[in-house]
Amino acid sequence: MPIIKYPRAREPLFYEWDRRAQKCGLRHTVYAVNGDQYTGEWLDNLKHGKGTQIWKTTGAIYSGDWKFGKRDGYGSYSVPDPVTKEYRRVYTGWWENDQRGGQGVFFYPNEERYEGEWSNGLRSGWGKMHYKDGSVYEGQWLVDQPNGQGVLRLPNGNRYEGGWKDGKKHGPGKYFYPNKGQLLEGIWVADIPKCGVLVDFGRDNAPAPTQYPLPEIELHDPAGVLAEARAMFDDSHN
């Protein structure tokens, strides 16, 4: 009985060409149409794993983790200095969905620095900001502004401990003046102290005390006065 040979079914060649064109695993530098270049790992034609991206228009470099085509994980972002052309580190830390997210350090061009938590590319959570004038704020942040509880330390040694809202002192707080040996405890609204009690605090050891000590004012219950002011503040903001 004769043997009938059937032709082997073959898929179109472009299927094979397409498979070979898919980027997966470690690749050498791949150039985009706009001149951007990426060197690193791929998965299903997307940047995934460890890799380095260079943007042609800005010269910026990101080196770190990728997830399905986006910066996600730990990585460092740098830009070239417009004058010296040397690379200046901008951000080192964690990324989520192509934005700063989690713990990280951001270096500002004016020598300021933020160390702390991020969310959706903005300072949010707990963080520490070093300002150019030497001031340091450490505390809670929300949408890129101090919000919640925090401490601001000034170069002269003075400090504020208390509430913040939209980047301003807001709510119950204490302002220490070690240079004068005084303490102001009260209620702030939009950076302005609205009421409080000012007392001498370590005045004998202060480097620049006031000429005369504060006169003593007899209050039956100074703590009660502040407590009542706090209660009124809380009621007005609920």
Side-chain angles (χ1 to χ4, degrees):
M1 184 175 180
I3 298 175
I4 302 175
K5 294 183 178 181
Y6 295 95
R8 182 182 299 175
R10 293 189 60 184
E11 60 184 17
L13 285 176
F14 67 82
Y15 283 175
E16 178 67 18
W17 296 338
D18 183 65
R19 277 195 297 269
R20 292 181 180 179
Q22 293 294 315
K23 292 181 282 293
C24 192
L26 180 63
R27 283 293 188 98
H28 295 297
T29 303
V30 175
Y31 293 87
V33 176
N34 61 3
D36 295 347
Q37 52 183 289
Y38 172 81
T39 305
E41 296 177 299
W42 298 78
L43 178 64
D44 295 333
N45 226 29
L46 295 172
K47 302 163 194 163
H48 191 88
K50 301 288 185 181
T52 299
Q53 168 94 12
I54 302 177
W55 286 268
K56 180 177 176 58
T57 55
T58 62
I61 294 179
Y62 169 80
S63 182
D65 296 325
W66 296 79
K67 187 175 181 180
F68 301 118
K70 296 181 178 181
R71 292 169 290 185
D72 200 296
Y74 190 85
S76 182
Y77 179 80
S78 303
V79 298
D81 186 276
V83 178
T84 65
K85 305 303 180 183
E86 295 181 356
Y87 274 90
R88 177 181 64 82
R89 185 172 46 174
V90 175
Y91 176 77
T92 298
W94 292 91
W95 300 74
E96 294 177 354
N97 196 29
D98 218 34
Q99 297 189 83
R100 293 183 292 274
Q103 288 284 340
V105 183
F106 192 95
F107 302 88
Y108 295 85
N110 59 358
E111 300 180 357
E112 295 183 342
R113 183 175 80 255
Y114 172 81
E115 308 168 7
E117 295 177 303
W118 298 79
S119 179
N120 295 321
L122 301 175
R123 294 169 289 185
S124 292
W126 190 270
K128 188 175 184 179
M129 183 73 190
H130 300 260
Y131 296 97
K132 188 175 182 179
D133 65 356
S135 301
V136 177
Y137 169 83
E138 184 173 6
Q140 295 174 308
W141 293 75
L142 181 64
V143 195
D144 233 27
Q145 295 284 354
N147 267 276
Q149 294 295 309
V151 179
L152 175 66
R153 294 180 174 86
L154 302 179
N156 62 3
N158 293 351
R159 72 181 187 275
Y160 168 82
E161 302 177 2
W164 294 80
K165 183 179 179 182
D166 299 331
K168 297 180 179 180
K169 294 181 281 291
H170 195 84
K174 297 179 180 180
Y175 205 115
F176 295 84
Y177 300 88
N179 59 334
K180 295 181 180 180
Q182 293 180 329
L183 163 65
L184 173 61
E185 183 176 2
I187 305 294
W188 273 256
V189 176
D191 254 356
I192 300 174
K194 292 296 184 178
C195 67
V197 176
L198 181 65
V199 298
D200 286 330
F201 183 79
R203 185 176 182 278
D204 294 338
N205 299 321
T210 55
Q211 185 176 0
Y212 302 104
L214 291 171
E216 293 185 5
I217 301 176
E218 291 187 5
L219 290 176
H220 296 292
D221 185 12
V225 172
L226 283 176
E228 184 178 351
R230 289 194 186 97
M232 293 176 62
F233 176 85
D234 293 338
D235 291 342
S236 65
H237 287 78
N238 287 336

